[in-house]
Amino acid sequence: MTDSQTEQVLDAARTFIAAESQAVLEVADQLDESFVKVASLLLDGLGKVILTGAGTSGFVARRAAHLLSVSGTPSFYMNPTDALHGSMGAVRKDDVLIALSKGGSSSEVNELVERVQGEGVIVVALTCSRESRLYQLADIPIVLRHYQPADPGGLIAMGSTLAHSAWLDAMALMLMRARQYSWSRVHYTHPGGAVGGRTVLPVALDPLQIPPSS
């Protein structure tokens, strides 16, 4: 391999990483009162927080459920296909379902959304399409712009799912601050690995007041 070939590969990789970074960075400019509305809903909710999504969005939803739980908002991931084969029975009317779908047209996700809404469940949707069925169904639809260079061919959801992850990460952290969920509690519920082995914990996060939903 020549030096010029090496540089060509590295330049291409750097260009793509920069595009992904831009997709995430643009999320900050798109935050509005809907973010606070969802935060208030999750903070004051009496039920469970359930995340769902198919394909790549499903992996992002699973990650978000884990991180919400780690930071003090009990959550779990529900596979939409499994849900339509019976596990939807775990859902109750006080729960909140957060559904992820870039294009908003995943049939199994949309059917799950319709069915849980029939039980009185509030649905939050993260999507990139205002024209989608998921957007139309959701009680609180969140649309993040599709930054085309970050999704190869416009088909492989790389940057768009990172953007959704960033939105959900920010939500988890804001809720952690609002709950004043302590590092000692994080440490207690995370006894494994390097986190569990720590003997000195971080300084407490500054508290944050999330206004109640109107």
Side-chain angles (χ1 to χ4, degrees):
M1 182 180 294
T2 65
D3 289 344
S4 62
Q5 289 173 324
T6 298
E7 283 305 310
Q8 186 177 14
V9 172
L10 293 176
D11 285 346
R14 289 171 183 139
T15 297
F16 180 66
I17 291 172
E20 286 198 319
S21 301
Q22 185 62 37
V24 171
L25 185 61
E26 287 194 0
V27 175
D29 294 331
Q30 296 175 72
L31 294 181
D32 56 23
E33 62 275 5
S34 63
F35 181 90
V36 181
K37 185 176 182 179
V38 175
S40 179
L41 177 68
L42 300 185
L43 182 63
D44 297 335
L46 300 176
K48 304 179 292 296
V49 178
I50 306 165
L51 289 100
T52 192
T56 309
S57 291
F59 287 99
V60 173
R62 188 187 298 273
R63 173 186 181 275
H66 170 76
L67 291 175
L68 281 162
S69 295
V70 167
S71 53
T73 300
S75 309
F76 71 91
Y77 169 73
M78 178 173 285
N79 182 296
T81 302
D82 291 341
L84 297 179
H85 285 262
S87 62
M88 187 180 67
V91 182
R92 295 292 182 269
K93 67 177 181 179
D94 288 330
D95 298 340
V96 175
L97 180 75
I98 302 177
L100 279 65
S101 176
K102 173 189 169 184
S105 59
S106 297
S107 58
E108 59 272 56
V109 172
N110 291 341
E111 184 174 354
L112 173 60
V113 166
E114 289 187 87
R115 287 181 176 271
V116 300
Q117 283 178 319
E119 298 295 318
V121 172
I122 294 176
V123 173
V124 177
L126 277 177
T127 182
C128 294
S129 174
R130 292 183 182 274
E131 292 72 38
S132 68
R133 180 64 176 154
L134 180 59
Y135 178 90
Q136 295 167 2
L137 287 170
D139 299 291
I140 308 177
I142 307 295
V143 176
L144 298 180
R145 291 190 301 268
H146 178 208
Y147 188 69
Q148 181 77 22
D151 280 354
L155 298 177
I156 304 176
M158 292 184 173
S160 58
T161 49
L162 288 179
H164 286 172
S165 290
W167 192 97
L168 289 161
D169 287 353
M171 180 62 65
L173 185 59
M174 297 311 103
L175 290 170
M176 182 178 179
R177 291 176 58 184
R179 297 183 195 282
Q180 297 186 47
Y181 193 75
S182 68
W183 291 118
S184 61
R185 186 62 185 161
V186 173
H187 188 256
Y188 180 82
T189 60
H190 195 319
V195 171
R198 289 189 61 159
T199 56
V200 178
L201 298 181
V203 174
L205 293 171
D206 290 336
L208 183 71
Q209 186 171 356
I210 295 174
S213 56
S214 56

